[in-house]
Amino acid sequence: MIPCLEGTGDAIPFGDKHFDAVTVAQAFHWMSTLESLQDIHRVLRPKGALILLWNMECRSAPWVGALRDLYEQYDTHIPQYRHGEWKKAFALPEVQRLFPGPLTTRFFQQEMVVTKDMAWERVLSKSYIASLTRSEQALIRSRVDRVLEEHMAAFDLSVKDPLTGKVERAARQPIDTEVTFV
């Protein structure tokens, strides 16, 4: 069993020098502050690593680009990985003392097989979409459905739902993964 503990980026519920590595996936842009980096450093052992990961839908598939054009217009005034503001924290003199090595970044591309419902669920998982009212979400859902219908040719795979046995159409969704470490 893996315990789940309450904590925040600047109040990690572990003692000093507790970990060889700290990994933050899909979230560092929400906590890219001096205080968070100080606490991450506190729980790392000497020569420990900070690893940051993000997955982003890749525009190389036209249907994915069309979806991103639709939903990214709602991401104003909130932290977003893709804007790169999170990198500014590493330019702070105190952070450079804590993490003196350069930020190293590697990119990988992977692929997911998604049905139209799964594509909608991914859109709905965006904080700026999830926080909208149900009526606003319904409007976006109709727009998402329209985009997916326009790109129906991309949904050329058949997948079987393991729970229901229902066969659905699916598409390959390219994902760019960024791994940044220091």
Side-chain angles (χ1 to χ4, degrees), residues 100-179:
L103 283 181
T104 302
T105 300
R106 300 285 184 266
F107 290 94
F108 306 91
Q109 192 167 72
Q110 53 185 317
E111 192 175 84
M112 295 173 52
V113 174
V114 298
T115 63
K116 291 189 333 184
D117 283 341
M118 292 166 71
W120 164 246
E121 289 168 7
R122 177 81 175 181
V123 171
L124 190 58
S125 76
K126 307 292 181 184
S127 60
Y128 47 89
I129 302 298
S131 63
L132 296 174
T133 66
R134 290 202 188 277
S135 62
E136 291 169 315
Q137 289 175 0
L139 177 63
I140 294 168
R141 174 70 192 253
S142 68
R143 292 176 181 162
V144 165
D145 288 344
R146 222 175 3 256
V147 166
L148 296 176
E149 196 60 39
E150 290 169 7
H151 295 272
M152 198 58 201
F155 288 76
D156 60 352
L157 303 173
S158 293
V159 296
K160 186 176 184 178
D161 185 305
L163 298 177
T164 66
K166 180 181 172 185
V167 176
E168 297 182 69
R169 306 303 300 159
R172 290 170 184 84
Q173 181 178 32
I175 302 287
D176 289 326
T177 299
E178 177 178 329
V179 180

Side-chain angles (χ1 to χ4, degrees), residues 23-35:
T23 302
V24 182
Q26 296 292 118
F28 188 73
H29 54 282
W30 287 104
M31 52 185 261
S32 57
T33 65
L34 172 60
E35 295 78 15

Side-chain angles (χ1 to χ4, degrees), residues 74-102:
Y74 292 88
D75 81 349
T76 58
H77 310 301
I78 58 173
Q80 287 299 309
Y81 150 74
R82 68 187 178 84
H83 296 307
E85 295 293 315
W86 58 272
K87 294 176 185 174
K88 291 179 180 177
F90 290 95
L92 298 171
E94 174 67 14
V95 173
Q96 289 180 351
R97 282 190 293 279
L98 297 173
F99 296 97

Side-chain angles (χ1 to χ4, degrees), residues 43-64:
V43 299
L44 281 172
R45 292 185 181 120
K47 298 186 182 180
L50 170 58
I51 306 159
L52 310 173
L53 298 108
W54 286 277
N55 292 308
M56 178 61 102
E57 300 85 353
C58 179
R59 288 182 174 274
S60 65
W63 71 273
V64 175

